[in-house]
Amino acid sequence: MISFIRFADNLSAWFGKSFAWLIVLMAVGTGYEVVVRYVFNNPTAWALDVSFIMYGTLFMMGGAYTLSRGGHVRGDFLYRLWQPRNQAKIDFVLYIIFFFPGVIALVLAGWKYAARSWSYGEVSVNSPAGVPIYQFKTVIVVAGLLLFIQGIAQVCRCIHCMRTNEWLPADEDVFETEDLLMQKASEAEKDAHP
């Protein structure tokens, strides 16, 4: 069970980090559009569509990674006060009742949209450039499948926590800048006053 959790976490991390590079492409594309629009007075017809497509892809493909790291928003003003075992029981029930039906609906609806889009080579109607979007509708299905795999790992985490009363943590690979600065300041203070 723990090996599957690690596999799913690593898979989600690989996809999340790979697609995170779209941020750089979006910044370059937006910068290019600003220059050609305002400096050369020659705006592109495709820039807005491409930025929407990249942002949507980034958002969808980062979902499983965010789930694996516990980064989704939750209303936990009571939940955080409970014992881990009770938290796991609630999470387990919520995954079964809400998460998996929602993700299955996402995959099935995404499959339908993607198949229809591929069948006629759908292009964006928002710009005269006719940017193809059929391949990006496939992202809905892929993101749903990644969420499903990560959801199984999260259920395994719940089972592990119900048995041990401890959450199995995900690998920490992203740190808040403020936390790193505070840690560095604390270490510097320890070094200054041994």
Side-chain angles (χ1 to χ4, degrees), residues 3 27 46 70 78 81 83 100-101 108 121 128 140 145 161 191:
S3 62
W46 50 263
L78 291 176
L81 302 174
Q83 289 291 315
F100 285 111
L108 294 176
I140 299 169
L145 292 173
C161 185
D191 290 342

Side-chain angles (χ1 to χ4, degrees), residues 161-174:
C161 185
M162 286 187 275
R163 291 179 183 163
T164 64
N165 202 31
E166 284 185 16
W167 283 109
L168 185 65
D171 293 336
E172 291 194 37
D173 55 356
V174 176

Side-chain angles (χ1 to χ4, degrees), residues 9-26 54 57-66 69 139 142 146 173-174:
D9 284 355
N10 290 334
L11 181 69
S12 296
W14 187 87
F15 275 97
K17 290 175 184 178
S18 297
F19 280 86
W21 286 99
L22 288 176
I23 294 170
V24 175
L25 293 176
M26 287 170 43
M54 285 194 283
T57 301
L58 172 66
F59 179 81
M60 293 291 290
M61 295 304 290
Y65 174 69
T66 306
R69 298 312 193 252
V139 168
V142 175
L146 287 171
D173 55 356
V174 176

Side-chain angles (χ1 to χ4, degrees), residues 60 101-119 122 133-145:
M60 293 291 290
V103 169
I104 290 169
L106 176 71
V107 171
L108 294 176
W111 184 270
K112 180 178 124 184
Y113 293 137
R116 187 178 328 142
S117 186
W118 277 91
S119 70
E122 185 176 8
I133 59 172
Y134 51 89
Q135 66 275 33
F136 293 106
K137 290 208 175 175
T138 308
V139 168
I140 299 169
V141 178
V142 175
L145 292 173

Side-chain angles (χ1 to χ4, degrees), residues 12-192:
S12 296
W14 187 87
F15 275 97
K17 290 175 184 178
S18 297
F19 280 86
W21 286 99
L22 288 176
I23 294 170
V24 175
L25 293 176
M26 287 170 43
V28 169
T30 302
Y32 174 80
E33 175 62 17
V34 167
V35 169
V36 298
R37 177 180 297 257
Y38 295 109
V39 175
F40 299 112
N41 198 24
N42 187 20
T44 63
W46 50 263
L48 184 64
D49 280 331
V50 171
S51 67
F52 281 164
I53 289 167
M54 285 194 283
Y55 179 74
T57 301
L58 172 66
F59 179 81
M60 293 291 290
M61 295 304 290
Y65 174 69
T66 306
L67 179 62
S68 75
R69 298 312 193 252
H72 287 289
V73 175
R74 61 188 319 150
D76 63 351
F77 60 96
L78 291 176
Y79 174 93
R80 65 189 161 118
L81 302 174
W82 299 341
Q83 289 291 315
R85 182 174 282 123
N86 293 332
Q87 292 174 345
K89 289 176 185 176
I90 296 298
D91 281 1
F92 181 85
V93 170
L94 294 175
Y95 275 111
I96 301 302
I97 293 175
F98 295 109
F99 179 83
F100 285 111
V103 169
I104 290 169
L106 176 71
V107 171
L108 294 176
W111 184 270
K112 180 178 124 184
Y113 293 137
R116 187 178 328 142
S117 186
W118 277 91
S119 70
Y120 62 87
E122 185 176 8
V123 296
S124 175
V125 296
N126 295 325
S127 74
V131 176
I133 59 172
Y134 51 89
Q135 66 275 33
F136 293 106
K137 290 208 175 175
T138 308
V139 168
I140 299 169
V141 178
V142 175
L145 292 173
L146 287 171
L147 278 170
F148 191 85
I149 292 167
Q150 189 61 50
I152 293 170
Q154 296 305 104
V155 165
C156 290
R157 266 196 175 87
C158 291
I159 293 168
H160 180 269
C161 185
M162 286 187 275
R163 291 179 183 163
T164 64
N165 202 31
E166 284 185 16
W167 283 109
L168 185 65
D171 293 336
E172 291 194 37
D173 55 356
V174 176
F175 303 96
E176 294 291 332
T177 304
E178 292 83 9
D179 294 339
L180 293 173
L181 291 173
M182 288 177 61
Q183 180 183 2
K184 193 179 241 185
S186 175
E187 289 171 2
E189 186 176 315
K190 285 179 186 176
D191 290 342

